[in-house]
Amino acid sequence: MPHVAVGDGIELYYELYDFTPPWKAGPPPVVFVHGLGGDRRMWLFQIPVFSARYPTVVVDLRGHGLSTRPTRDFTVADMARDLLRVSRVLGIERAHWIGLSMGGVVAQQLALDFPLVVASLVLADTFASLPPPAREMAQVALERMEQQSMAEIARERITAAFSDNVDPAMREYFIEQVAKNDYASYLRAARATFHFDAGAALSQVQKPTLVVVGEHDRVTPLPLAEDVVRRIAGARLEVIPHAGHIANAENPEAFNRVVLEFLASVA
């Protein structure tokens, strides 16, 4: 199975899908970066659509999916560096980075630390900096997670992540997948994510950026998306109707359409 050694004894699992015409010079690849507790399979509605137009890479972040479980705490910067090393092994000079939730945080850090590898950013259902009330809520959530089982965390977090109108079968599927996470790895990733704060540095990002948020996102609601847009010059905002925090799964048709239109505009 394809793994890349990224240091610290960590190997990241990835999958590459490319159904673009091999006789044509192609556009930069698209790399999808999943959210907390998810893995590459969060993008099941995107892979068939995007891989017909762009070489498409999906990656399991450290501690997730088939990637190595870390034995120590890590940061968002560590996860961004992991992605850089994967891109180097795959020979990717520049890519369109599409990150959901935690993946959006990692994509922001990647753009700050390694801007040359970024062709554009799509930041979905994520945040740049939590205001004090939200930061306090995040700390309470972390403390609560430390008292729960992985199954309890999965049910509580995923139930909140979807809108009330989601197909119950989809919600149960995601709950089951998140419940399979290694508990210690999940908490390490949650701490890294909840402590992320791009601050004023995000104004340094000079890449075409699309910010996407589900209409009914209760985890990272519209004001947090608007905050990201304000911080990145030229960034634009799209609201995905009839969707919560996992907008790419709850309304994939709308998500795919706005992202593909954006990528076509920056190609």
Side-chain angles (χ1 to χ4, degrees):
M1 293 187 291
H3 284 80
V4 173
V6 295
D8 295 331
I10 301 292
E11 292 188 349
L12 260 58
Y13 177 81
Y14 72 91
E15 293 175 355
L16 168 63
Y17 299 88
D18 187 359
F19 299 101
T20 61
W23 56 87
K24 294 183 178 180
V30 169
V31 183
F32 287 99
V33 190
H34 63 79
L36 175 64
D39 60 29
R40 67 202 178 280
R41 293 170 294 181
M42 292 193 79
W43 304 105
L44 78 165
F45 293 117
Q46 282 67 55
I47 292 171
V49 177
F50 283 78
S51 61
R53 306 187 190 194
Y54 301 87
T56 298
V57 179
V58 288
V59 182
D60 289 348
L61 295 172
R62 58 168 65 193
H64 293 75
L66 298 178
S67 293
T68 306
R69 298 173 181 176
T71 57
R72 63 170 181 83
D73 286 349
F74 54 88
T75 65
V76 169
D78 292 326
M79 291 189 279
R81 194 176 305 111
D82 291 347
L83 292 181
L84 174 70
R85 289 168 177 164
V86 170
S87 69
R88 285 175 172 171
V89 168
L90 294 181
I92 296 173
E93 294 184 4
R94 294 190 315 137
H96 302 291
W97 298 87
I98 303 177
L100 174 75
S101 192
M102 179 180 75
V105 163
V106 177
Q108 291 172 60
Q109 190 70 55
L110 184 78
L112 288 170
D113 294 346
F114 311 107
L116 293 181
V117 79
V118 177
S120 72
L121 293 171
V122 178
L123 307 174
D125 299 292
T126 192
F127 67 94
S129 179
L130 294 176
R135 192 164 296 280
E136 293 169 8
M137 291 173 62
Q139 183 58 41
V140 170
L142 279 172
E143 293 171 359
R144 178 172 173 79
M145 289 178 195
E146 292 169 354
Q147 305 300 320
Q148 294 176 303
S149 68
M150 196 63 242
E152 290 169 331
I153 292 171
R155 183 158 297 278
E156 185 172 297
R157 302 294 296 180
I158 293 300
T159 299
F162 282 111
S163 76
D164 295 335
N165 296 320
V166 70
D167 181 345
M170 176 183 286
R171 182 173 57 232
E172 288 302 316
Y173 169 82
F174 275 87
I175 289 171
E176 290 175 5
Q177 295 305 310
V178 173
K180 294 176 182 177
N181 273 265
D182 174 65
Y183 180 70
S185 296
Y186 182 94
L187 288 181
R188 287 187 168 107
R191 291 188 196 104
T193 302
F194 291 1
H195 292 153
F196 176 77
D197 189 344
L202 206 59
S203 64
Q204 301 170 16
V205 174
Q206 298 179 356
K207 302 294 181 178
T209 301
L210 173 67
V211 179
V212 178
V213 63
E215 178 185 13
H216 304 296
D217 189 342
R218 294 175 287 211
V219 180
T220 52
L222 179 60
L224 293 182
E226 292 171 334
D227 177 59
V228 178
V229 171
R230 284 192 294 269
R231 291 168 183 263
I232 301 178
R236 45 181 277 214
L237 176 67
E238 290 282 354
V239 178
I240 305 300
H242 315 301
H245 184 62
I246 311 178
N248 66 300
E250 196 164 355
N251 191 347
E253 294 82 7
F255 181 92
N256 294 348
R257 176 180 54 79
V258 300
V259 174
L260 286 171
E261 289 175 355
F262 167 74
L263 293 182
S265 74
V266 300

